[in-house]
Amino acid sequence: MDLIKKIENEQLREDNYDFRVGDTLRVSYRIKEGDKTRLQDFEGTVISIKEGGINRSFTLRRISYGVGVERTFLYNSPRLEAFKIVRRGKVRRAKLNYLRDRQGKASKVKEKVNY
């Protein structure tokens, strides 16, 4: 194994979270303001997941005061504290870019019901 892959494997996140596109996630991430740090939550629907080892990332989208807000997080970032799956979504696509054109109830993803 070459040196770069060895260093990347040391920085991978050990805890593996099982979320998919369409799920609603609440992500707590650390924000540094001056010399203080605090946790801030961002809750939204997962519209895309990009695999790729150390560069794995996912994008969350939510509607805030009538404006769509998207945020991309690096999965292996040390700033991410916790993931919480709020609800599972039932989708048939790998990327949910069509949600960008929807407003109101049309932008909702159906909930997956486990039997």
Side-chain angles (χ1 to χ4, degrees):
M1 185 184 301
D2 61 345
L3 185 61
I4 294 175
K5 288 200 182 273
K6 186 177 181 182
I7 293 172
E8 283 181 355
N9 287 338
E10 291 173 359
Q11 295 179 358
L12 289 177
R13 184 180 288 274
E14 286 87 18
D15 45 351
N16 193 5
Y17 293 97
D18 183 34
F19 60 87
R20 296 185 182 95
V21 173
D23 294 348
T24 301
L25 276 185
R26 182 176 296 130
V27 177
S28 298
Y29 60 99
R30 205 175 303 125
I31 293 181
K32 186 173 184 182
E33 296 173 334
D35 56 346
K36 297 179 185 176
T37 60
R38 65 183 177 89
L39 289 178
Q40 184 172 8
D41 288 347
F42 190 91
E43 183 176 335
T45 305
V46 180
I47 63 167
S48 71
I49 296 176
K50 181 184 169 219
E51 299 290 338
I54 193 83
N55 295 324
R56 182 178 180 188
S57 64
F58 59 96
T59 303
L60 296 182
R61 179 177 174 82
R62 74 172 177 196
I63 304 297
S64 179
Y65 297 104
V67 178
V69 178
E70 290 184 10
R71 181 142 186 190
T72 302
F73 295 96
L74 288 172
Y75 182 80
N76 293 303
S77 174
R79 290 186 177 208
L80 290 181
E81 277 299 311
F83 298 92
K84 182 169 192 264
I85 299 173
V86 178
R87 61 192 284 259
R88 296 280 185 179
K90 180 181 177 184
V91 294
R92 296 173 66 177
R93 304 254 177 249
K95 308 275 190 220
L96 301 181
N97 294 325
Y98 66 89
L99 289 180
R100 293 175 177 160
D101 301 329
R102 307 275 174 98
Q103 294 179 354
K105 286 187 179 180
S107 67
K108 300 267 186 196
V109 175
K110 288 185 180 180
E111 189 165 3
K112 190 178 203 178
V113 179
N114 295 332
Y115 288 109

